[in-house]
Amino acid sequence: MDPMNEMTPVTEAATDPKPAKAVPALPDAQTVTEVKHWTDRLFSFKVARPASLRFRSGEFVMIGLMNDPDPKTGKVKPLLRAYSIASPSWDEEMEFYSIKVQDGPLTSRLQHIKVGDEIILRPKPVGTLVHDALIPGKRIWFFATGTGFAPFASLLREPETYEKFDEVIITHTCREAGELTYGRELIESLKTDELLNEVIGEGFWKKIKYYPTTTREESAKMGRITDLMRSGEAFADLGVPPLNPESDRAMICGNLAFNLELKDLFENTYGLEEGANSKPAHFVVEKAFLD
């Protein structure tokens, strides 16, 4: 499911409750280093990375802000939710990509953060969208809707992605064309990223095939990716055969209906088996989020 859709907030009790009038210190605080607003519904931001934090590209962490004091007890608890890490595992900063929900408990406030502000970042990364959960193959597919692009923003900048696969296909389906900008600009930037071209290999980005589609606003390619796959149009456009267990591996991160539809398509049409960290196979789905 789409990690950046507002969900039921996760709260944790403050470890050191204080009087109602006192302002508690922000636990696991990290400083915001960059904020960029892409549309009136989407923004990205970066925070300083704790020196001790290690993660695998594609994982997520819990981030958030302090909630308002409880009107009865005066206690203040963290308001947290899961966010995929959009930066690769080697980066010195941590990037996140978020939707803005005006009445959302967290994002209604998070969208107003500025450089120099602090947010809570729990240093316990987890997730299923990692290379360890897939068996070797020739071609890797990344399927995203909306801000589900975030974990793939990490994996597209991860050297292991290109060491393990000959082709990297990223599909991104959004309602409006402007919602594709974050992903499109990131992929375009890979061509001139001197560090990545040096570390991964000059021209590594030529392995990528980018397939953006919209479902509401007119764009170069209209339609839901699942419909375009069933009709064969997506494969014809990309110049590749339909997915098969011998050569194709896939990761899915989108809204719940999208995840379930693709999972059914993979298993019952293409014969792929779902994998996990404990039992690698052909494809994985990010299950940590709810609509």
Side-chain angles (χ1 to χ4, degrees):
M1 137 169 188
D2 193 335
M4 300 316 130
N5 282 345
E6 191 69 33
M7 70 180 203
T8 302
V10 179
T11 58
E12 296 181 7
T15 55
D16 182 21
K18 300 193 175 152
K21 294 182 180 179
V23 178
L26 199 63
D28 295 317
Q30 297 302 326
T31 303
V32 176
T33 58
E34 179 182 300
V35 181
K36 187 166 184 177
H37 295 270
W38 297 90
T39 71
D40 59 357
R41 295 182 64 251
L42 299 168
F43 72 109
S44 61
F45 58 98
K46 295 180 180 180
V47 300
R49 176 176 177 170
S52 61
L53 195 151
R54 297 289 181 268
F55 67 92
R56 294 175 294 175
S57 293
E59 290 188 313
F60 66 86
V61 289
M62 304 301 294
I63 68 174
L65 298 168
M66 295 304 291
N67 209 344
D68 295 326
D70 184 285
K72 293 182 179 179
T73 66
K75 293 182 179 180
V76 181
K77 298 179 181 180
L79 177 61
L80 304 170
R81 52 161 296 205
Y83 266 76
S84 288
I85 305 167
S87 47
S89 61
W90 50 265
D91 205 323
E92 294 180 357
E93 294 180 303
M94 298 184 73
E95 181 181 0
F96 300 96
Y97 184 42
S98 179
I99 195 169
K100 305 174 187 179
V101 181
Q102 300 312 318
D103 57 352
L106 179 59
T107 62
S108 60
R109 298 163 58 185
L110 194 63
Q111 64 182 292
H112 299 297
I113 58 172
K114 296 179 174 59
V115 172
D117 289 349
E118 289 186 333
I119 66 164
I120 301 167
L121 191 156
R122 293 284 191 240
K124 296 178 181 178
V126 290
T128 58
L129 301 182
V130 292
H131 285 304
D132 293 343
L134 298 176
I135 57 178
K138 174 187 176 184
R139 186 183 298 114
I140 180 78
W141 294 76
F142 298 142
F143 292 91
T145 61
T147 49
F149 188 92
F152 306 132
S154 174
L155 287 157
L156 285 167
R157 292 178 280 183
E158 169 57 56
E160 188 179 0
T161 299
Y162 305 92
E163 294 166 4
K164 289 192 169 182
F165 298 98
D166 297 330
E167 282 186 280
V168 180
I169 299 176
I170 170 78
T171 82
H172 191 198
T173 300
C174 294
R175 292 181 299 177
E176 301 172 358
E179 296 171 353
L180 296 167
T181 306
Y182 173 82
R184 185 183 66 248
E185 289 194 3
L186 184 144
I187 291 170
E188 190 65 25
S189 73
L190 299 179
K191 299 177 182 179
T192 55
D193 190 311
E194 293 182 6
L195 176 62
L196 284 178
N197 277 277
E198 180 180 346
V199 172
I200 301 175
E202 194 68 36
F204 76 93
W205 47 270
K206 294 178 183 177
K207 287 188 174 184
I208 300 172
K209 291 186 176 182
Y210 174 48
Y211 197 67
T213 73
T214 56
T215 56
R216 293 188 186 178
E217 186 180 0
E218 191 72 27
S219 70
K221 177 59 64 172
M222 298 283 294
R224 299 165 70 246
I225 185 62
T226 45
D227 293 337
L228 294 167
M229 290 167 69
R230 287 192 183 92
S231 70
E233 188 175 341
F235 303 115
D237 290 340
L238 290 163
V240 298
L243 286 80
N244 70 81
E246 286 70 43
S247 60
D248 294 281
R249 305 295 173 256
M251 296 184 179
I252 310 169
C253 192
N255 60 65
L256 183 59
F258 174 78
N259 289 0
L260 293 174
E261 186 179 2
L262 266 181
K263 174 180 163 66
D264 178 70
L265 199 57
F266 286 171
E267 293 176 338
N268 298 313
T269 300
Y270 304 126
L272 305 185
E273 180 183 345
E274 185 173 1
N277 279 273
S278 58
K279 187 183 178 183
H282 304 124
F283 75 93
V284 285
V285 185
E286 187 51 83
K287 298 187 178 71
F289 311 103
L290 299 173
D291 273 340

